[in-house]
Amino acid sequence: MIDGQVMDDHTMMQRCIELARQALGRTAPNPLVGSVIVQGGAIVGEGFHPKAGQPHAEVFALRQAGDRARGATLYVNLEPCNHYGRTPPCSEAIVAAGIRRVVVGMVDPDPRVSGGGIARLREAGIEVTVGIEEADCRTLNEAFIHRILHHRPFGILKYAMTLDGKIATTTGHSAWVTSPAARVEVHKLRVACDAIIVGGNTVRRDNPLLTSRQDPTPLRVVMSRSLDLPTDAQLWDTEAVPTIVFTEANTRPDIQKTLMQKGVEVIETTPLTPASVMTHLYDRGCLSVLWECGGTLAARAIADGSIQKVLAFIAPKIIGGSTAPSPIGDLGTTEMTEAFVLERIQWQQIGPDFLLEGYLRSRESGVGSRE
């Protein structure tokens, strides 16, 4: 392949990723997918998958291209489907449009696809190139990948701490650890997630709103064994954003009734664990779940495998305090060899703060299919 073609393929695949990201937080349980059609060196069609049940990215791109799709090259970051789900197979639409060549970012090994989309295109005499910008394509859909392989949502732990590892002072005061610039990044992160989880302590101490300040706004989730919760918390205003409270069976029926009267959904699950809540959120179709909880719940979520990724905002501040809370509670580790290790680390500066991003070791990843 000539150098110019290679450059075009990579550039167009990055455009697919850019298009796909326009639907951040909206596609669950489906992946983020964008598609571009190029004819004679010019883009003649583009599209992205807006949400489950709607046409896939390739269909939107083909509609925009019209007759100009014949003999063209189609780019898509995930292998076109070849099965009937909520929508017809994209592979047949591509064949019918007379596309000459298809460039695929990553193969989809879900049993319903298993390379079947690529095989169908090749059967029809279409040239297929696979694996262009694959690493970026996999990162784009890491939550979808995890959901398909593990039948659980992808868990992200986010916290903000001082340089000496504190999330609040000894009195519990925590507003604000990081700068306004870092808080803007947190709102962007919330947009990309389907649910946000906090514990009862966070509700009592911070009275958070947990909104993204833009659409879409994720589901708000509270875990509380005791239901010792303030009845006037901001989270109980469910007119714009739904809220679920998870508790154990037969816990404070009076508080449950009060919450339900405010429009809060109350779910009893025994025992109440991060894993049991993640299973419920999987059944609701969630892809990404953001944990913005305190140290005790964060430790439980890490320990039972509910966290795959950690985002730590670190402020250049020192507050001290031997009893000041830290981001992670007791994990029961007594030797350094028992530490939970992050890998694939990335750093970036955001205003005066730093953001460390990494993945908990031994968490697998892969790819999956679209509905």
Side-chain angles (χ1 to χ4, degrees):
M1 187 176 295
I2 63 173
D3 288 344
Q5 183 66 66
V6 171
M7 288 298 293
D8 285 345
D9 284 354
H10 287 271
T11 300
M12 290 301 100
M13 191 57 67
Q14 287 296 332
R15 175 58 180 162
C16 289
I17 292 171
E18 182 183 355
L19 287 165
R21 290 182 63 83
Q22 293 185 44
L24 274 172
R26 301 177 187 273
T27 64
N30 284 0
L32 294 160
V33 184
S35 182
V36 176
I37 298 174
V38 174
Q39 175 70 270
I43 294 175
V44 296
E46 291 186 332
F48 63 90
H49 177 53
K51 64 178 182 178
Q54 293 294 312
H56 291 176
E58 303 94 315
V59 173
F60 284 110
L62 289 168
R63 287 177 182 173
Q64 190 178 97
D67 292 341
R68 294 173 295 177
R70 187 159 300 278
T73 297
L74 181 144
Y75 295 85
V76 63
N77 57 285
L78 183 65
E79 175 183 6
C81 65
N82 192 46
H83 66 284
Y84 283 88
R86 299 185 193 180
T87 59
C90 291
S91 56
E92 296 303 329
I94 292 169
V95 171
I99 291 288
R100 177 186 63 83
R101 179 172 177 256
V102 174
V103 181
V104 177
M106 57 184 263
V107 177
D108 188 339
D110 183 278
R112 295 174 301 173
V113 182
S114 281
I118 291 170
R120 173 68 185 100
L121 297 176
R122 286 175 172 159
E123 266 177 25
I126 297 173
E127 177 189 349
V128 182
T129 302
V130 181
I132 301 297
E133 298 291 301
E134 183 172 359
D136 285 353
C137 291
R138 292 173 67 85
T139 298
L140 173 72
N141 276 310
E142 61 187 5
F144 171 73
I145 286 165
H146 183 83
R147 175 184 167 86
I148 290 293
L149 288 185
H150 302 285
H151 305 288
R152 296 272 289 277
F154 186 74
I156 303 169
L157 173 64
K158 186 281 299 179
Y159 58 82
M161 70 178 188
T162 59
L163 194 59
D164 54 338
K166 310 297 184 181
I167 60 173
T169 66
T170 54
T171 65
H173 187 263
S174 60
W176 294 94
V177 174
T178 52
S179 66
R183 298 198 291 276
V184 168
E185 290 302 310
V186 171
H187 286 115
K188 291 179 182 177
L189 175 62
R190 288 175 179 172
V191 167
C193 294
D194 302 303
I196 304 174
I197 297 180
V198 297
N201 282 336
T202 298
V203 178
R204 288 187 291 272
R205 184 184 68 240
D206 298 338
N207 191 21
L209 190 56
L210 299 183
T211 61
S212 59
R213 298 184 182 175
Q214 57 183 300
D215 288 331
T217 297
L219 177 70
R220 303 178 300 189
V221 178
V222 178
M223 291 179 60
S224 175
R225 283 199 179 104
S226 67
L227 281 189
D228 179 18
L229 301 171
T231 57
D232 59 349
Q234 295 187 97
L235 292 175
W236 313 150
D237 180 3
T238 60
E239 188 171 329
V241 186
T243 301
I244 301 178
V245 171
F246 285 90
T247 190
E248 294 196 330
N250 303 315
T251 301
R252 301 199 63 178
D254 56 328
I255 297 297
Q256 291 195 35
K257 181 179 179 181
T258 297
L259 292 176
M260 287 187 285
Q261 287 174 342
K262 292 175 177 288
V264 176
E265 183 178 354
V266 179
I267 297 175
E268 296 182 335
T269 177
T270 304
L272 177 62
T273 65
S276 66
V277 171
M278 289 294 265
T279 297
H280 179 90
L281 294 177
Y282 170 82
D283 291 339
R284 293 177 81 104
C286 291
L287 287 176
S288 293
V289 173
L290 183 62
W291 293 78
E292 292 200 39
C293 52
T296 301
L297 183 52
R300 290 170 56 204
I302 289 173
D304 77 358
S306 294
I307 303 294
Q308 284 67 53
K309 187 175 185 178
V310 177
L311 281 80
F313 290 86
I314 303 169
K317 300 176 182 178
I318 297 174
I319 58 173
S322 59
T323 60
S326 64
I328 312 296
D330 187 11
L331 283 166
T333 52
T334 57
E335 303 286 340
M336 192 58 69
T337 53
E338 298 172 333
F340 287 78
V341 178
L342 295 184
E343 56 189 9
R344 290 180 282 157
I345 301 297
Q346 292 185 341
W347 283 93
Q348 62 174 302
Q349 185 168 358
I350 301 173
D353 308 310
F354 283 88
L355 170 60
L356 181 148
E357 179 179 329
Y359 298 82
L360 285 166
R361 182 177 292 174
S362 81
R363 301 302 190 266
E364 300 176 358
S365 55
V367 289
S369 175
R370 291 175 281 173
E371 290 287 350

